[in-house]
């Protein structure tokens, strides 16, 4: 699992897990930041797996060239927003030349006003990387040493302490970004590479990094952006790509364990409704169930079942809709990763223009869309879990999959846990982006709440991983109880993996550690890896 600091871990997620990990072999050793866009995998590599940052020399030359434009405007007796004026509601106030450095430092200090628990290390690294990416476009007017300092902080493993609350998502993620800029100035709190808390000045000195003394416009350039919400979106996309495949694996195990049919997953049936995500999930289910002795055991004319319940039969439709939502979110993330978000911004022809590109609406909407999809996928998973425990619907298995009926409760309360999480996920699916609360003396009179949307999505993703883990654990026990019938190669491999973690049929015992162990298998990607080894790489 990626490194997480204890306090962040205790506070984040439904069960304390702040994020899902991905296979380390996918992470690059280094990521080059230049004028072009970063990819989602680049963000994950730096934020989650500690890849180093390399600055493109040509892009640094462009940064220096755009800085010359800012310095020329700074010498102009005419006021220019963010260079020789105040900010926000004070945009018309001219600032004398000898006070402008103080203006930039004061901006950062005043905006570093976050409150609450610490934000996770991977989120802070993501937002710093994305702010650096914008600096390297040459559209912000910062000095090259400012970009170099951000890269050095990332490469030294220094993580600014950013607090949970403070961003309204417009102008971008002001407070979280200000906490990072404050550290670059040698002020505020950080965690060093070992995770220990220390002051920024000491951490920078130990890493041989000189604190920044901000020049004109640099304070603005360091705090105006959607980098926090975008970083969390990139991490969420990475998580959900793996979790939606896990959902297909869990559904296949449930179809087998509940003596369902694979006929409904036929390619020609799904071609009648050409939704791309649905076709992918149906293909996964066909591959996972191919050659299953359990499925084959009841395909004859003696089987009187006409149709499976929706939670089995309609899994590709629901999982597929979530996949399509994820694809849309990824397209929005890709566009945002290709953006240079600042205010004011230096145009390609050398103008300095005010704009509204910092508004987080595009990112906020898809963060909310994903929370809706997460809640629905988890809801369907919990229904499949429940079917295993009801003797009227589980096709001959013992009630609650108990070892000694009447004495043992089996997995009764594991389903309660899944149900409780699903209930919370429904609350987390209420969109944050429909809310807006005015700020800055009504200058910022409509805000995106994208940061809040991202924070609740992270909690929702943690919940989904746990609900899927409970289904996998339940289905594995159900399949084990079908002996002498055996599952297919891919699902059987997952049953063996779960059994090795201690989740096997038997008398009642302390169940929580087993749930946590299987959750770790889900979160680490081991469930997907084990199925891939037998079914081929699933989509």
């Amino acid at each position: 699992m990626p490194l997480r600091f204890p306090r962040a871990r205790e506070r984040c997620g439904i069960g304390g897990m702040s994020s899902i990990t991905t296979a380390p072999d996918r992470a690059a050793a280094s990521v080059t930041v230049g004028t072009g866009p970063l990819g989602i995998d680049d963000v994950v590599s730096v934020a989650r797996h500690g890849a180093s940052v390399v600055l493109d020399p040509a892009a640094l030359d462009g940064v220096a060239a755009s800085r010359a434009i800012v310095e020329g405007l700074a010498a102009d007796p005419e006021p220019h927003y963010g260079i020789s004026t105040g900010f926000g509601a004070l945009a018309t106030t001219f600032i004398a030349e000898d006070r402008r450095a103080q203006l930039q430092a004061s901006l950062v200090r005043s905006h570093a006003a976050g409150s609450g628990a610490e934000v996770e290390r991977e989120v802070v690294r993501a937002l710093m990387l994305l702010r650096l990416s914008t600096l390297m476009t040459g559209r912000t007017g910062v000095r090259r040493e400012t970009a170099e300092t951000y890269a050095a902080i990332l490469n030294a493993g220094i993580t600014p302490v950013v607090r949970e609350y403070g961003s309204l998502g417009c102008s971008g993620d002001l407070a979280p970004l200000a906490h990072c800029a404050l550290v670059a100035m040698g002020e505020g709190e950080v965690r060093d590479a070992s995770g220990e808390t220390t002051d920024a000045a000491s951490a920078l000195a130990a890493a041989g990094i000189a604190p920044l003394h901000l020049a004109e416009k640099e304070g603005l350039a360091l705090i105006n952006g959607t980098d926090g919400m975008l970083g969390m979106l990139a991490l969420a996309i990475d998580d959900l790509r793996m979790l939606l495949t896990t959902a297909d694996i869990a559904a296949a195990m449930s179809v087998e364990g509940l003596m369902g049919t694979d006929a409904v997953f036929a390619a020609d049936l799904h071609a009648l409704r050409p939704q791309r995500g649905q076709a992918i999930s149906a293909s996964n289910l066909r591959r996972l169930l191919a050659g299953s002795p359990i499925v084959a055991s009841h395909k004859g004319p003696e089987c009187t079942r006409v149709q499976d319940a929706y939670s089995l039969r309609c899994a590709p439709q629901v999982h597929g809709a979530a996949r399509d939502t994820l694809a849309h979110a990824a397209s929005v993330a890709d566009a945002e990763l290709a953006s240079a978000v600042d205010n004011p911004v230096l145009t390609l022809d050398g103008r300095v223009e005010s704009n509204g590109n910092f508004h987080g609406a595009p990112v906020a909407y898809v963060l909310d869309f994903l929370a809706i999809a997460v809640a629905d996928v988890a809801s369907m998973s919990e229904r499949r879990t429940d079917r295993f425990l009801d003797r009227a619907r589980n096709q001959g298995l013992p009630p609650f999959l108990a070892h000694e009926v009447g004495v043992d409760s089996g997995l009764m309360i594991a389903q309660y846990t899944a149900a409780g999480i699903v209930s919370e996920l429904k609350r987390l699916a209420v969109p944050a982006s429909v809310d807006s609360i005015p700020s800055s003396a009504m200058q910022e009179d409509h805000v995106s709440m994208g940061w809040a949307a991202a924070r609740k999505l992270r909690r929702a993703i943690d919940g989904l991983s746990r609900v899927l883990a409970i289904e996998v654990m339940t289905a594995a026990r159900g399949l084990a109880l079908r002996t002498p019938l055996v599952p297919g190669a891919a699902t059987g491999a997952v049953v063996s993996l779960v059994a090795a973690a201690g989740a096997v049929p038997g008398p009642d015992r302390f169940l929580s550690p087993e749930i946590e162990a299987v959750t770790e298998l889900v979160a680490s990607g081991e469930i997907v890896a084990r199925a891939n080894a037998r079914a081929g790489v699933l989509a």
Side-chain angles (χ1 to χ4, degrees):
M1 299 291 286
L3 173 64
R4 302 185 188 94
F5 300 133
R7 282 200 286 170
R9 189 180 172 95
E10 289 165 7
R11 177 258 333 135
C12 258
I14 287 168
M17 185 178 64
S18 63
S19 66
I20 309 299
T21 189
T22 52
D25 59 5
R26 286 181 47 200
S30 65
V31 169
T32 298
V33 182
T35 56
L38 295 172
I40 290 171
D41 286 346
D42 295 327
V43 177
V44 173
S45 290
V46 173
R48 184 166 281 171
H49 300 302
S52 62
V53 172
V54 177
L55 300 182
D56 177 64
L60 279 174
D61 290 341
V63 169
S66 67
R67 179 62 198 174
I69 296 172
V70 170
E71 290 174 351
L73 293 172
D76 189 344
E78 291 295 315
H80 297 276
Y81 175 66
I83 298 172
S84 54
T85 72
F87 313 116
L90 304 177
T92 58
T93 302
F94 182 78
I95 306 297
E97 186 174 354
D98 63 349
R99 302 297 294 154
R100 291 174 192 168
Q102 181 63 40
L103 169 69
Q104 301 298 321
S106 294
L107 174 73
V108 170
R109 290 171 183 142
S110 65
H111 283 54
S115 181
E118 289 181 44
V119 173
E120 306 83 9
R121 178 180 189 262
E122 66 177 17
V123 171
V124 179
R125 286 182 61 82
L127 74 89
M128 286 195 73
L129 173 68
L130 293 173
R131 183 70 336 216
L132 173 60
S133 181
T134 289
L135 300 182
M136 290 293 287
T137 64
R139 306 275 62 82
T140 70
V142 300
R143 297 165 299 156
R144 65 182 294 155
E145 53 259 51
T146 301
E148 290 168 340
T149 298
Y150 265 51
I153 290 171
L154 284 165
N155 289 341
I158 297 169
T159 305
V161 172
V162 174
R163 299 293 173 182
E164 176 84 20
Y165 303 109
S167 175
L168 299 179
C170 188
S171 302
D173 294 314
L174 289 172
L177 285 164
H179 278 269
C180 296
L182 190 71
V183 167
M185 292 163 53
E187 302 177 25
E189 266 190 309
V190 303
R191 288 188 181 269
D192 62 22
S194 68
E196 294 300 315
T197 306
T198 186
D199 63 280
S202 298
L204 294 185
I209 302 170
L212 286 174
H213 298 282
L214 300 180
E216 291 93 346
K217 195 187 175 298
E218 290 193 310
L220 269 180
L222 293 178
I223 67 172
N224 261 297
T226 58
D227 307 293
M229 65 183 90
L230 176 59
M232 286 186 275
L233 175 60
L235 293 166
I237 290 167
D238 188 62
D239 294 337
L240 287 170
R241 285 171 173 166
M242 182 268 292
L243 286 176
L244 291 180
T245 301
T246 307
D248 288 340
I249 295 167
M253 295 173 70
S254 291
V255 169
E256 276 188 299
L258 292 166
M259 307 298 280
T261 177
D262 64 347
V264 294
F265 307 133
D268 60 344
L269 294 177
H270 291 275
L272 297 173
R273 190 191 197 189
Q275 297 285 357
R276 184 172 184 274
Q278 177 179 324
I280 292 170
S281 284
S283 175
N284 282 347
L285 284 158
R286 288 195 301 272
R287 290 167 61 186
L288 288 160
L289 294 171
S292 166
I294 291 181
V295 172
S297 72
H298 57 94
K299 276 190 171 181
E302 70 280 0
C303 181
T304 58
R305 297 183 68 185
V306 178
Q307 295 183 127
D308 290 326
Y310 285 10
S311 61
L312 302 176
R313 192 191 341 159
C314 301
Q317 285 78 7
V318 173
H319 296 181
R323 286 177 178 273
D324 290 338
T325 302
L326 183 61
H328 171 59
S331 72
V332 171
D334 287 340
E336 199 73 3
L337 288 166
S339 303
V341 176
D342 192 17
N343 183 49
V345 68
L346 274 71
T347 63
L348 290 171
D349 61 0
R351 302 184 337 270
V352 178
E353 297 286 355
S354 183
N355 67 90
N357 285 338
F358 48 71
H359 198 288
V363 181
Y365 290 170
V366 295
L367 287 162
D368 280 335
F369 297 164
L370 289 176
I372 292 169
V374 163
D376 203 37
V377 171
S379 179
M380 179 175 258
S381 172
E382 182 275 331
R383 288 293 80 202
R384 292 190 294 263
T385 294
D386 185 66
R387 295 188 75 80
F388 269 109
L389 307 184
D390 183 353
R391 70 185 307 171
R393 296 180 292 147
N394 68 13
Q395 304 300 309
L397 294 170
F400 304 107
L401 307 186
H403 179 71
E404 185 177 349
V405 177
V407 174
D408 292 323
S409 294
L411 299 183
M412 178 192 296
I413 307 305
Q415 182 268 330
Y416 284 33
T417 300
I421 295 171
V422 167
S423 181
E424 175 154 356
L425 295 186
K426 293 174 183 177
R427 296 191 294 273
L428 292 170
V430 175
S433 57
V434 299
D435 188 27
S436 178
I437 188 163
S439 59
S440 193
M442 292 298 288
Q443 179 73 4
E444 299 171 8
D445 58 354
H446 185 276
V447 298
S448 77
M449 301 308 295
W451 175 272
R455 297 307 296 166
K456 69 184 183 65
L457 177 59
R458 284 179 68 80
R459 184 169 176 83
I461 287 171
D462 177 72
L464 174 61
S465 71
R466 295 173 186 282
V467 172
L468 291 175
I470 290 171
E471 182 186 0
V472 167
M473 184 179 76
T474 303
R477 184 182 287 207
L479 287 166
L481 291 171
R482 292 289 182 195
T483 304
L485 292 174
V486 294
T491 51
V494 175
V495 172
S496 297
L497 179 66
V498 171
V504 293
D508 282 357
R509 54 195 178 266
F510 184 22
L511 198 55
S512 179
E514 293 178 25
I515 295 173
E516 294 304 301
V518 180
T519 297
E520 184 70 15
L521 294 176
V522 168
S524 67
E526 282 297 312
I527 297 289
V528 171
R530 188 60 64 96
N532 284 346
R534 293 301 188 95
V537 177
L538 300 166

